[in-house]
Amino acid sequence: MNFVIIGAGSAGVRAAETLRENDPQASITLVSGEPGEPYSRMAIPYILNGAIDENGAHQRQSHHHLESLGIRYLNCKALQLHAGPDGGHVDLDDGSQLNYDRLLVATGSSPSLPPIPGTDLPGAVTCWTLEDARQIAAKLVPGARVVMLGAGFVAGVCMKSLVNSGAQLSVVAGRSGQILRSMMTPVGSHLLQRWLEGRGVEVITSGRTLRIEPGPRLVMDTRTIDADLIILATGVHPNVAFLEGTGAEIRSGVVIDEHMRTTVPHVYAAGDVAEGRDFSTGEWVVHALQPTATEHGRIAALNMTGKEVAYRGSLSMNVLDSVGLISHTFGLWQGIPTGDNTEVVDEANFIYTRLCFDSDQLIGAITIGHPHHVGAIRGLIQSRRHLGAWKDQLMKNPQLVMDALVDLNRG
């Protein structure tokens, strides 16, 4: 069997390893669209703050890991997939072609640039690749003026490293007026914003960005900001251009079934590029989470070898360190129309807990600044436990989650 994996992130590397574990004789080729060895994007903030060097970002610490498994590793970009009923081939940017019997699309995503002039000017950079990290690190000296355009999860991941470098950071949240809007209620966002402002971060929640000028300089309709560096953190999009014309169904990502198969024969997808099953809703969504990508890769590989292994779904979960203030979101943290929600906030101590219920089952939660019951929350959501009388107790006091879990397990 000839397996080809396009993309060497968490999903691709885990898939390659799983294929080898289950088919010792197969031909396996792993293709990375970036130079160097496979690395973890989640390590980039640790590179920026000096906690690790680039070698520390490698997914596997042995330089010969893939070679020792008999996995061919290429640094090329996929240009076009040519799929047939029994397999096909992929055109690569070095002019070569790769034939496959089974192919995995694990190409992840790329930054979406804001629709304004000047994003290609010197001093404007995304925060996504090792090369981005090198450019940012070169500018991170105490007093450097850094403007971050965007205030979502990608921006949140990078903020701590920027602040700890001594840079003067301004974050432009845009017209929504709310930071981390995709993973936080307005109450939680306000709490995080106050925390960031207390650590010297300027959070700009009004005004429209017009363009970037040489300097670089960010021009808004309300003000102009001179900077040493402008970081573009305005979202991502799936890397699917090479699938054009194949018949692959693509929405917010490549659509897959419960066995990670796409609508193209013998082509599978995993990781940030794929619409996988959501544990909470059963719907198909993109979960851009490293644990999800790793499990996607494993399940996809098992199915590629002929095993029928269904994916039960991933729990939407984000963990964010906002310059020392830890927040978590789980599952359906927005709640559902027919359910109940409760929340408690301690503004002075930056503590916030929100719980969301469907009847007497916990289905979603947010915590800020109080991580001690995070495991209990995740356990109750994933086990779909019926809380019984504990539901009313938690509605009155959300901080009793651990007590509820212990008591329910005792029974």
Side-chain angles (χ1 to χ4, degrees):
M1 187 68 72
N2 184 16
F3 297 111
V4 171
I5 302 167
I6 308 296
S10 298
V13 170
R14 188 68 187 102
E17 294 168 337
T18 304
L19 288 172
R20 178 55 74 221
E21 291 166 6
N22 289 271
D23 192 339
Q25 304 305 319
S27 169
I28 304 172
T29 303
L30 178 64
V31 181
S32 172
E34 295 186 45
E37 297 186 43
Y39 69 92
S40 170
R41 296 200 195 284
M42 295 305 296
I44 286 177
Y46 301 98
I47 294 175
L48 295 179
N49 66 22
I52 61 173
D53 59 17
E54 290 189 13
N55 286 332
H58 292 162
Q59 291 195 54
R60 304 293 183 266
Q61 289 309 300
S62 169
H63 293 285
H64 304 289
H65 176 70
L66 296 174
E67 181 183 349
S68 70
L69 295 175
I71 297 169
R72 183 185 180 199
Y73 181 61
L74 303 177
N75 295 108
C76 298
K77 289 185 178 180
L79 299 181
Q80 182 63 50
L81 173 64
H82 302 272
D86 300 312
H89 69 270
V90 184
D91 296 333
L92 302 179
D93 66 352
D94 65 354
S96 66
Q97 292 182 342
L98 278 179
N99 295 321
Y100 70 86
D101 297 312
R102 302 286 186 274
L103 180 135
L104 178 64
V105 177
T107 44
S109 52
S110 294
S112 296
L113 299 180
I116 58 172
T119 56
D120 57 345
L121 289 173
V125 63
T126 56
C127 187
W128 198 247
T129 66
L130 281 179
E131 179 55 33
D132 291 339
R134 295 180 191 117
Q135 294 186 50
I136 294 171
K139 297 285 188 178
L140 286 187
V141 296
R145 300 165 300 171
V146 178
V147 175
M148 182 172 285
L149 189 55
F153 184 74
V154 174
V157 167
C158 296
M159 284 183 199
K160 183 177 181 179
S161 300
L162 302 176
V163 171
N164 289 348
S165 73
Q168 300 174 13
L169 177 61
S170 297
V171 177
V172 181
R175 287 180 291 177
S176 70
Q178 180 183 336
I179 65 171
L180 301 170
R181 183 166 56 93
S182 64
M183 60 170 287
M184 194 62 59
T185 62
V187 173
S189 290
H190 174 70
L191 203 66
L192 289 166
Q193 180 177 333
R194 282 204 306 112
W195 175 270
L196 291 171
E197 289 171 341
R199 276 132 195 90
V201 178
E202 180 187 22
V203 181
I204 302 169
T205 57
S206 62
R208 184 165 60 94
T209 301
L210 302 178
R211 62 186 178 275
I212 298 172
E213 295 181 346
R217 178 183 302 113
L218 187 72
V219 179
M220 304 179 67
D221 59 354
T222 53
R223 61 188 291 190
T224 297
I225 309 173
D226 291 315
D228 297 300
L229 182 70
I230 296 177
I231 298 176
L232 308 172
T234 48
V236 297
H237 61 271
N239 294 322
V240 294
F242 74 104
L243 298 175
E244 184 176 349
T246 63
E249 183 180 357
I250 298 169
R251 295 196 289 254
S252 56
V254 182
V255 176
I256 56 176
D257 66 13
E258 64 179 1
H259 294 95
M260 319 302 287
R261 294 180 294 236
T262 72
T263 52
V264 182
H266 308 303
V267 175
Y268 300 72
D272 295 7
V273 75
E275 280 198 2
R277 186 188 294 276
D278 183 290
F279 171 84
S280 299
T281 66
E283 298 175 353
W284 301 92
V285 297
V286 173
H287 276 175
L289 305 169
Q290 184 165 313
T292 295
T294 301
E295 183 65 0
H296 270 196
R298 186 183 74 85
I299 297 295
L302 291 173
N303 284 284
M304 290 167 73
T305 62
K307 294 179 170 61
E308 289 285 314
V309 181
Y311 183 60
R312 70 171 191 153
S314 59
L315 177 66
S316 176
M317 178 176 136
N318 286 302
V319 182
L320 192 60
D321 182 347
S322 300
V323 197
L325 185 60
I326 309 298
S327 59
H328 298 79
T329 61
F330 303 87
L332 301 176
W333 57 265
Q334 306 96 325
I336 59 173
T338 57
D340 296 310
N341 309 316
T342 184
E343 58 184 32
V344 60
V345 60
D346 180 346
E347 293 275 357
N349 293 300
F350 296 93
I351 295 174
Y352 173 58
T353 303
R354 173 182 171 86
L355 302 180
C356 302
F357 302 90
D358 180 4
S359 185
D360 71 339
Q361 291 178 303
L362 184 64
I363 58 172
I366 298 174
T367 71
I368 298 178
H370 188 59
H372 307 298
H373 49 218
V374 164
I377 288 174
R378 182 174 181 178
L380 287 174
I381 293 174
Q382 289 192 304
S383 65
R384 295 192 167 104
R385 294 290 295 269
H386 287 279
L387 298 169
W390 270 107
K391 190 267 184 82
D392 290 336
Q393 295 269 20
L394 293 175
M395 285 291 295
K396 296 174 185 175
N397 185 356
Q399 308 291 17
L400 295 177
V401 171
M402 181 62 76
D403 302 75
L405 181 65
V406 170
D407 185 58
L408 290 167
N409 285 341
R410 186 184 298 123

